[in-house]
Amino acid sequence: MAGGPRILIVEDEPALAENLYGYLERQGMVPDVAYDGHGALALLREAAFDGVVLDLGLPGLSGLDVLRAMRREPGLRRPVLVLTARERLEDKLLAFELGAEDYLVKPFSLAEVAARLRVLARRGRDDEPAIVEFAGLRYDPQAQAVTLAGQPLALPRKSVLLLAALLQPAGCLATHARLAAALWPDGPPSGRALHDQVHLLRRRLRAAGGPEILADPCRGWRLEERGRE
């Protein structure tokens, strides 16, 4: 893994976050830190991490809420090691149900954290989502980049998220609920928000000569190759 695995530490205790950062860096990893849930999601949307160390007791948006958002939003799914003081079986089961791959209770050994992260990072690289292609469109989930007929297609971030959801799988119906969850894990800001985003993406795809977005009234939308009857 050239440069070492990139790890996001999500921890609201500065001293603990600093200890983790320093140790992981000495182990050849490339760490970054977020001190709350909103900051963690912002960093996950900006950069590709190989693994996440996640505390559950975060201010504002909890660690469990971060897991929910990572599961719902395309492009955010990364291997997660929960690092928490919560040792109840119910907490562990809920974290695993929400998508965590590993769970370690505080206090912990820094060497064990690093060893578990190496395993998760390798597993995450092995399970990287495949590039999706449809009617000249090509979407790279890792880079969150879109090309059309081999040329980069510049889209706003929400349009990329929407297109990614429509491409899973391409040509099949994507329901209103699934598309809304991909764009707004905590719920859309208004009743028209999803329709407005679909209209924006449809307009950009038409202008570029890409596939059409067809509506299935009261159910959702799907992609269809342009010119197809």
Side-chain angles (χ1 to χ4, degrees):
M1 230 176 275
R6 187 168 186 184
I7 304 296
L8 176 60
I9 302 165
V10 189
E11 171 59 62
D12 66 321
E13 296 182 26
L16 178 53
E18 184 178 344
N19 285 341
L20 281 166
Y21 186 105
Y23 186 82
L24 296 180
E25 191 173 44
R26 290 192 296 274
Q27 295 299 306
M29 301 186 192
V30 184
D32 204 342
V33 179
Y35 296 99
D36 57 44
H38 292 291
L41 293 180
L43 285 173
L44 285 167
R45 291 178 181 124
E46 292 173 1
F49 291 92
D50 299 299
V52 179
V53 180
L54 179 66
D55 183 22
L56 296 185
L58 299 171
L61 196 69
S62 74
L64 294 175
D65 290 331
V66 171
L67 281 172
R68 290 187 181 97
M70 291 177 69
R71 185 174 67 172
R72 291 172 185 167
E73 188 171 330
L76 295 195
R77 296 173 189 172
R78 298 290 184 270
V80 175
L81 166 61
V82 170
L83 201 60
T84 179
R86 300 181 188 179
E87 57 184 7
R88 296 189 315 157
L89 177 61
E90 292 86 349
D91 292 320
K92 294 180 182 180
L93 293 177
L94 180 55
F96 286 129
E97 181 182 340
L98 292 176
E101 281 76 17
D102 203 353
Y103 196 105
L104 190 58
V105 177
K106 301 174 182 178
F108 54 84
S109 160
L110 289 171
E112 183 177 2
V113 172
R116 292 184 183 222
L117 284 173
R118 288 191 190 95
V119 172
L120 291 185
R122 285 197 298 269
R123 186 184 306 164
R125 289 290 179 91
D126 292 341
D127 296 338
E128 283 181 359
I131 291 173
V132 183
E133 298 186 75
F134 177 78
L137 273 176
R138 188 175 188 270
Y139 172 63
D140 182 342
Q142 286 298 108
Q144 294 192 8
V146 180
T147 60
L148 179 62
Q151 299 300 314
L153 181 62
L155 295 172
R157 187 181 66 83
K158 286 199 179 299
S159 291
V160 174
L161 296 176
L162 181 60
L163 182 60
L166 286 165
L167 285 166
Q168 302 297 328
C172 294
L173 180 74
T175 65
H176 293 88
R178 182 155 70 86
L179 294 177
L183 270 62
W184 303 282
D186 300 320
S190 71
R192 288 290 309 175
L194 179 58
H195 288 78
D196 291 343
Q197 289 295 328
V198 171
H199 175 72
L200 174 62
L201 178 58
R202 179 188 285 130
R203 188 174 62 190
R204 287 176 178 264
L205 289 178
R206 283 177 176 172
E212 183 62 78
I213 301 177
L214 299 183
D216 189 329
C218 302
R219 296 180 64 198
W221 291 270
R222 61 184 174 84
L223 288 172
E224 184 169 291
E225 189 171 357
R226 184 170 297 278
R228 182 177 172 185
E229 292 294 333

